[in-house]
Amino acid sequence: MAKLPMILTYARMFVAPVIMWTLMINGRYMGWIAAILFVLGSLTDWFDGYFARLWGSESNMGKFMDPIADKILVLGSILILLTMGRVDPFMVFLLVGRDIFIGGIRAVAAANQIIIAAKPFGKWKTATQMLAIPCLMIYEPLWGLPLPDVGYFLLWFSVVLSLISGVECAYGYFSKVKTDSIQN
């Protein structure tokens, strides 16, 4: 059972191309199927952490792979939505640029034996994206709720949270490095 959290993390990565392929089919219910797969993939983000804490199987590998799995799921979905004209290219640029920047900081931190765990703004960013993206996949009103507009607004909100969490992550890393250099 201790391996279940990592299996769930990897499952999140493996469902991303399936979602992309499903949306490329462009059939009547493919948006719904993709949204359901995305929600199931998103739920693994909560369950992997829950089970890791429950069973005491938290690991550096899990802390490292969890945000990567999130990015593969989210960015794969956003890129296919970009090709469908449902998201703004500048939005995608900001999200990808921030993720590359943070990936660089995490790599340098790892080289210095510093693990940068997810922070609250990053968690809220991910949660907001995981609400927005299914709305953009379905892309039709549901019970009078304009899902395309809701999804588009929420995704822009996640961009703002993403930029804030990027600054928060960079500040945390540079503060840690500065504190360590002062102590040495």
Side-chain angles (χ1 to χ4, degrees):
M1 283 298 182
K3 293 184 181 186
L4 182 61
M6 285 306 299
I7 291 169
L8 292 171
T9 299
Y10 291 130
R12 189 159 62 256
M13 289 189 263
F14 292 124
V15 78
V18 176
I19 291 167
M20 294 175 75
W21 177 79
T22 302
L23 285 172
M24 288 172 39
I25 292 175
N26 202 22
R28 173 143 169 84
Y29 297 107
M30 292 299 130
W32 281 93
I33 293 169
I36 291 166
L37 289 172
F38 184 87
V39 168
L40 292 173
S42 297
L43 288 174
T44 67
D45 188 31
W46 185 82
F47 281 113
D48 65 4
Y50 173 78
F51 288 128
R53 287 184 297 278
L54 179 69
W55 296 326
S57 61
E58 292 174 287
S59 67
N60 285 339
M61 182 65 155
K63 290 177 187 176
F64 183 76
M65 293 305 293
D66 185 66
I68 291 172
D70 293 344
K71 284 166 189 38
I72 290 171
L73 178 66
V74 169
L75 291 177
S77 299
I78 289 174
L79 288 173
I80 197 69
L81 291 169
L82 177 64
T83 67
M84 299 170 80
R86 296 182 183 181
V87 297
D88 187 300
F90 191 63
M91 172 191 299
V92 176
F93 168 77
L94 290 172
L95 290 170
V96 171
R98 178 263 186 203
D99 284 348
I100 291 169
F101 176 73
I102 295 305
I105 288 177
R106 285 184 189 273
V108 171
N112 293 318
Q113 286 86 36
I114 299 170
I115 301 295
I116 300 175
K119 303 279 192 261
F121 275 109
K123 291 181 182 216
W124 281 103
K125 176 246 341 166
T126 301
T128 304
Q129 288 172 340
M130 292 180 176
L131 290 172
I133 291 170
C135 293
L136 293 166
M137 289 175 172
I138 295 169
Y139 212 68
E140 58 187 59
L142 179 65
W143 301 306
L145 186 65
L147 290 186
D149 296 335
V150 169
Y152 193 76
F153 170 80
L154 286 174
L155 201 54
W156 266 114
F157 183 63
S158 82
V159 169
V160 172
L161 293 174
S162 180
L163 296 174
I164 293 169
S165 74
V167 169
E168 179 182 49
C169 184
Y171 178 78
Y173 170 72
F174 290 118
S175 294
K176 174 76 172 145
V177 168
K178 184 177 179 182
T179 302
D180 288 350
S181 69
I182 291 171
Q183 291 175 353
N184 293 329

